[in-house]
Amino acid sequence: MEHVFFPPLSRVAVCGGTHGNELTGVYMVREMQKQTMDKDGPVSVTAVLANPPAVDACRRYIDTDLNRCFTDALLSAPLTDSSPYELRRAHELNAQFGPKGSKEAVDLLCDLHNTTANMGLSLILYSLDWITLHICKYLQSKISSPVRVIQLNIPISEVYSLEAVGKHGLAIEIGPQPHGVVRADIYNMMKKAVDLTLEWLQKFNTGSIFEGGEVEAFTFAKSIDYPRDPTTGEITAAIHPQLQDNDFKLLQPGDPVFMSFSRETVKYEGEPLYPFFVNECAYYEKKIAFHLAQRKNLSIPTISVKRD
Amino acid sequence: MEVEEVERLPRLSRVAVCGGTHGNELSGVYLVRELLKVKKKKKKEEEDEDGGAMSVLLVLSNPRAMQQCLRYIDTDLNRCFTHACLIGPTLDKTPYEMRRARELNAMLGPKGSAGAMDLICDLHNTTANMGLSLITYSDHDWICMHIFRHLQRQIPDTPVRYIHYDVTSKESYSLDSVGKHGFAMEVGPQPHGVVRSNIYTTMKSGVQYMLDWVHFFNSGVIFDGGFMDVFTVVKHIDYPRDGETHNITAAIHPQLQDRDFCLLRPGDPLFQTFSGETLRYTGSEPLYPFFINESAYYEKGIALCLARKRRVKIPSVREYL
């Protein structure tokens, strides 16, 4: 692949508390706000709590999930008196860090999340973006524990999450951590990931050449819901002990996926795929027990900053 | 051979198993629902096998909180059972959980009276790594203590512990204090709002073995006495907080996280601040920590609880004929 050049990435936003009970990002942002931001020279970093009322209440959201409010359609629809809080907040954040899709948008928006699933450090992207894929590659090279790249192939106009507002966007998802809890080990991992991201930006802006190569990624295929009672809609089974905590381990047809409350095992039927977001608390209401992905190798070109 | 006295105690004819006292502690919610389903099915088929020796009442304590998958709607239900809370007047502005506590007290109590349930088992989950813990207000309630021993023997692959809060009956504030005997069965670690299969199974076993024990007890079986470890609560420690915002400024230290019931010594790491500093335990006495990093306790100002451990002798028991 040909060497690709990009303009400097001088404006970065780091957001936490997009879900008010995902606490690592909340405390990271508060800590970053305490420290002076100019130490990184050519890069200006703004750290922001995306959903302050939800953070205060230690809830995922007040009216509606903020991280589903950033599609082009929702951002352009006019607000009314009855608009949910998070929709208004999405418009504010879009004005502050976007507008999405415009040249005024921040160069990189990094959104910090936690999950109750055993996903370790996962980086979530929406498209084949060489900048964010190189950041992923860099983190993988510097962090000894597995760093997974998850790619959701959705056209940018339909991307619903906050990081889509930046010219380049990345969600950093770390688990397992219960919502409403902050674990020191998870905090330390998030700090490392953010520090390395800023370090990469610094290197990029000062002329480092980042060699191309291959990045292994998990591309979203489909979701599976819990078995439910047809009358009440309540779940009738939990994730099977053999699947629980086994995010990113290949799931084969015939493998157990659920164990009902009356001790019956439900087995997986479908092509071999990689599960992730296994038993994420916030997904019960979204009717998702786990997601499934294919594993592929993505080729990325050598990149460096475009010198004027 | 020394013959020890056997303590004779009244039959336990009425037992209650309660789930969903905190609406987002899901093992108990799904277990009670499952037991209700099984009971309904059984009723259609046959009479209670015991022939009436033991009745089990299954209760979902806080249905409104369960519906919204929240710990509580207005106030923590499991703090509403003090004598003072139960006898207060019910007004328009009385919080939902206070009203509900009074209903539950009428159903399972009244607390302190001869009509109260013989045994209440209240099901809970914790985000702390506490295995299966029985939490009671007594270190000499032989019923609870024998049940504990039975569970410990029957569930070898899960650590089972007995925690004692030294609080008077009048001041005892939780649902299990409504019964003549009672305890909370706390199983963790599990995030609130999540149901883990292994945790559900542990709780299911705990309840089953408890009911088995009661059945054996009611049938006249003599349970031999012996020794057991009791963790008696001494105090709790809050997170360090910012003087102005009251936000926490540190997390439980990685060397303490998940180490419930491992002795904490003076000088051991306790917290790690968000700027990377280690804060150490400055107490003078080594104590046993538990409820380490329980999500619901942040708002109560509790980072961890500390207990003394001691060996307690329990007598042999049998049903009083």
Side-chain angles (χ1 to χ4, degrees):
Chain A
M1 286 173 106
E2 253 185 50
H3 186 136
V4 181
F5 296 90
F6 286 91
L9 304 166
S10 45
R11 292 169 60 227
V12 181
V14 175
C15 301
T18 301
H19 295 134
N21 56 4
E22 294 176 18
L23 295 190
T24 311
V26 171
Y27 288 102
M28 273 254 32
V29 160
R30 282 181 175 153
E31 193 61 25
M32 288 172 79
Q33 285 173 342
K34 271 189 207 169
Q35 293 157 21
T36 49
M37 289 285 111
D38 59 9
K39 62 176 179 163
D40 286 319
V43 181
S44 90
V45 183
T46 308
V48 144
L49 286 177
N51 195 342
V55 170
D56 286 340
C58 199
R59 296 171 67 137
R60 183 177 178 84
Y61 56 80
I62 303 298
D63 295 330
T64 191
D65 191 336
L66 175 60
N67 216 29
R68 300 290 181 276
C69 290
F70 294 91
T71 60
D72 284 15
L74 287 170
L75 288 176
S76 55
L79 295 168
T80 66
D81 279 342
S82 61
S83 291
Y85 165 74
E86 277 85 8
L87 206 46
R88 297 175 184 284
R89 183 60 180 151
H91 281 229
E92 276 172 27
L93 291 163
N94 189 42
Q96 184 177 3
F97 297 122
K100 178 180 174 187
S102 76
K103 57 178 162 57
E104 286 78 40
V106 292
D107 296 302
L108 177 69
L109 200 156
C110 204
D111 192 23
L112 310 180
H113 286 267
N114 291 117
T115 174
T116 56
N118 187 27
M119 285 169 63
L121 169 54
S122 294
L123 306 169
I124 306 180
L125 323 170
Y126 287 93
S127 56
L128 290 180
D129 177 327
W130 307 140
I131 294 286
T132 48
L133 280 165
H134 264 282
I135 292 172
C136 293
K137 189 163 183 278
Y138 188 71
L139 262 54
Q140 282 176 335
S141 70
K142 298 282 185 178
I143 295 175
S144 52
S145 55
V147 178
R148 279 102 176 199
V149 176
I150 299 170
Q151 193 205 14
L152 288 80
N153 256 324
I154 311 178
I156 190 77
S157 60
E158 285 165 46
V159 177
Y160 43 72
S161 47
L162 170 53
E163 70 273 16
V165 170
K167 292 197 182 94
H168 305 278
L170 184 65
I172 301 181
E173 184 87 51
I174 309 192
Q177 179 171 272
H179 298 317
V181 157
V182 58
R183 287 180 65 102
D185 53 357
I186 301 283
Y187 180 87
N188 293 340
M189 196 185 300
M190 182 77 83
K191 179 162 197 324
K192 198 162 189 194
V194 171
D195 286 349
L196 286 170
T197 300
L198 297 178
E199 186 180 280
W200 185 92
L201 286 168
Q202 178 77 338
K203 288 184 169 172
F204 174 82
N205 286 334
T206 52
S208 292
I209 297 174
F210 292 96
E211 289 298 324
E214 299 225 307
V215 178
E216 183 188 83
F218 293 91
T219 55
F220 174 83
K222 60 182 181 183
S223 307
I224 307 269
D225 188 14
Y226 291 96
R228 290 178 186 269
D229 180 297
T231 350
T232 62
E234 294 290 346
I235 65 172
T236 55
I239 295 285
H240 194 278
Q242 282 179 51
L243 173 58
Q244 180 68 55
D245 301 333
N246 283 320
D247 299 68
F248 304 108
K249 295 210 169 87
L250 186 65
L251 186 69
Q252 316 245 31
D255 285 347
V257 281
F258 297 112
M259 184 178 277
S260 76
F261 298 122
S262 53
R263 310 283 291 169
E264 279 155 37
T265 295
V266 178
K267 298 184 180 198
Y268 174 58
E269 289 165 17
E271 49 171 311
L273 288 169
Y274 294 85
F276 64 104
F277 276 124
V278 176
N279 208 349
E280 162 52 50
C281 169
Y283 285 1
Y284 283 49
E285 72 175 16
K286 296 192 199 291
K287 312 234 181 295
I288 296 164
F290 55 96
H291 286 319
L292 288 167
Q294 283 155 341
R295 190 169 69 174
K296 356 181 108 129
N297 280 328
L298 303 174
S299 291
I300 59 175
T302 299
I303 66 168
S304 60
V305 73
K306 185 192 296 182
R307 296 211 188 278
D308 291 326
Chain B
M1 187 184 78
E2 208 183 288
V3 176
E4 279 203 16
E5 248 187 62
V6 178
E7 186 88 19
R8 287 167 187 271
L9 297 164
R11 165 174 292 193
L12 302 166
S13 358
R14 295 165 67 231
V15 178
V17 177
C18 306
T21 301
H22 294 134
N24 56 2
E25 293 177 17
L26 296 190
S27 306
V29 170
Y30 286 103
L31 181 55
V32 167
R33 282 188 179 148
E34 187 59 27
L35 293 173
L36 283 165
K37 262 194 219 168
V38 169
K39 195 177 189 184
K40 206 169 169 187
K41 224 172 155 182
K42 230 180 171 179
K43 246 184 182 169
K44 292 182 184 171
E45 293 166 1
E46 55 188 56
E47 282 290 326
D48 182 5
E49 273 173 21
D50 272 356
M54 168 177 81
S55 72
V56 182
L57 185 63
L58 299 162
V59 177
L60 289 170
S61 316
N62 195 339
R64 278 187 61 193
M66 275 168 47
Q67 204 182 42
Q68 295 191 45
C69 199
L70 292 172
R71 182 177 177 82
Y72 56 80
I73 302 295
D74 295 328
T75 191
D76 190 337
L77 176 61
N78 216 28
R79 300 292 181 274
C80 290
F81 292 91
T82 62
H83 192 65
C85 285
L86 289 175
I87 63 169
T90 299
L91 310 165
D92 277 344
K93 57 179 182 163
T94 301
Y96 165 71
E97 277 86 7
M98 284 280 224
R99 297 170 187 274
R100 184 58 182 152
R102 290 164 193 169
E103 276 173 28
L104 290 164
N105 188 42
M107 194 196 308
L108 306 174
K111 178 171 172 176
S113 77
M117 284 279 157
D118 295 303
L119 177 66
I120 294 180
C121 172
D122 189 26
L123 306 176
H124 287 267
N125 290 118
T126 174
T127 55
N129 186 26
M130 286 170 64
L132 192 162
S133 295
L134 295 192
I135 306 178
T136 71
Y137 292 103
S138 172
D139 59 357
H140 53 276
D141 181 325
W142 313 132
I143 296 289
C144 293
M145 294 164 92
H146 269 276
I147 288 172
F148 160 78
R149 253 167 125 231
H150 185 68
L151 259 52
Q152 215 182 29
R153 285 172 177 160
Q154 298 300 320
I155 314 178
D157 54 353
T158 301
V160 179
R161 286 121 178 169
Y162 189 93
I163 299 173
H164 158 230
Y165 279 79
D166 197 5
V167 169
T168 64
S169 176
K170 216 171 153 199
E171 294 302 311
S172 57
Y173 45 74
S174 51
L175 172 52
D176 50 280
S177 69
V178 170
K180 292 186 184 122
H181 305 274
F183 54 83
M185 184 181 294
E186 187 87 50
V187 187
Q190 180 172 270
H192 299 317
V194 157
V195 59
R196 287 179 67 99
S197 194
N198 62 329
I199 299 286
Y200 176 85
T201 298
T202 297
M203 190 176 277
K204 190 168 191 201
S205 300
V207 169
Q208 193 50 59
Y209 290 124
M210 172 197 69
L211 294 174
D212 287 350
W213 187 91
V214 173
H215 172 76
F216 293 137
F217 175 79
N218 288 345
S219 318
V221 171
I222 300 173
F223 290 92
D224 287 334
F227 289 91
M228 57 178 268
D229 287 331
V230 171
F231 290 92
T232 297
V233 186
V234 170
K235 61 181 179 180
H236 62 256
I237 299 183
D238 191 9
Y239 291 97
R241 291 179 185 271
D242 178 287
E244 279 173 38
T245 63
H246 205 62
N247 289 328
I248 68 173
T249 53
I252 294 285
H253 195 278
Q255 283 176 48
L256 175 58
Q257 180 67 55
D258 301 334
R259 296 175 64 78
D260 299 70
F261 303 106
C262 296
L263 190 64
L264 182 71
R265 298 179 171 86
D268 282 350
L270 200 55
F271 299 113
Q272 184 178 87
T273 69
F274 297 121
S275 51
E277 234 186 288
T278 294
L279 303 175
R280 296 179 181 275
Y281 173 52
T282 55
S284 51
E285 184 190 350
L287 291 170
Y288 292 86
F290 64 99
F291 276 130
I292 298 174
N293 209 350
E294 161 54 51
S295 149
Y297 285 2
Y298 282 52
E299 72 175 17
K300 296 189 198 294
I302 298 170
L304 62 148
C305 296
L306 290 165
R308 277 185 200 111
K309 182 171 77 164
R310 58 189 226 283
R311 278 246 104 182
V312 172
K313 186 163 191 229
I314 63 175
S316 304
V317 297
R318 72 177 298 181
E319 187 209 1
Y320 175 88
L321 295 162

